[in-house]
Amino acid sequence: MNSRPAPFDELDRKILTALMANARTSFAEIGAAIGLSATAVKRRVDRLRETGVITGFTATVTPSALGWRTEAYVEVYCEGAAPPRRLAEVVRNHPEITAAMTVTGAADALLHVRARDVEHFEAVLERIRTEPFIRKTISVMVLSHLLPESPEAGASHAAPQDAAELR
């Protein structure tokens, strides 16, 4: 993958917009909408993938269909300075954490957590809190999505079925 930002033009932007709205849109449909042949669209998409502008294609699924009925954001506060690499190792051990990032402000990290129910969320939270460098957490439960079409409203993997899958 190229480390420099890839230059792209207005046609590339239109292709990206179409694919972000629906990644299953055919190259022929995109081409018809923007005035290119399907082959030209494919060449541009291939180039956008090779240069790292497009990093993948996914399906967005209603989380409850996958067993995720509870959702929360968790602020994580660490003892001392926990390096982001160490935080990344921890969050990878929890399949319920769907996104994690270091942040500015008082908290050291912000986690997006999905769980089957409140009891499952509580178990996840307790597992997160067992990490020796985590001083405290503050959780905020999601009640509803104001932008239901946003990626945050969807899910990328199914909820674990039993306790063996929780670790």
Side-chain angles (χ1 to χ4, degrees), residues 72-74 91 96-101 110-114 152 157:
Y73 287 88
V74 178
V91 300
E96 300 87 353
I97 299 174
T98 62
M101 57 284 303
L110 182 66
L111 311 178
H112 184 206
V113 177
R114 291 191 187 271
E152 292 78 14
H157 57 278

Side-chain angles (χ1 to χ4, degrees), residues 85-159:
R85 184 174 57 247
R86 178 65 181 121
L87 286 167
E89 290 171 13
V90 169
V91 300
R92 282 190 191 101
N93 291 328
H94 303 281
E96 300 87 353
I97 299 174
T98 62
M101 57 284 303
T102 56
V103 294
T104 62
D108 294 294
L110 182 66
L111 311 178
H112 184 206
V113 177
R114 291 191 187 271
R116 289 186 307 271
D117 50 34
V118 173
E119 292 79 14
H120 179 199
F121 173 72
E122 185 176 23
V124 172
L125 194 56
E126 290 306 316
R127 280 190 282 125
I128 292 167
R129 288 177 177 163
T130 63
E131 294 298 331
F133 64 87
I134 293 180
R135 181 171 46 90
K136 75 174 185 174
T137 61
I138 297 176
S139 304
V140 180
M141 301 295 286
V142 174
L143 299 177
S144 64
H145 284 269
L146 301 177
L147 300 172
E149 66 282 354
S150 70
E152 292 78 14
S156 59
H157 57 278

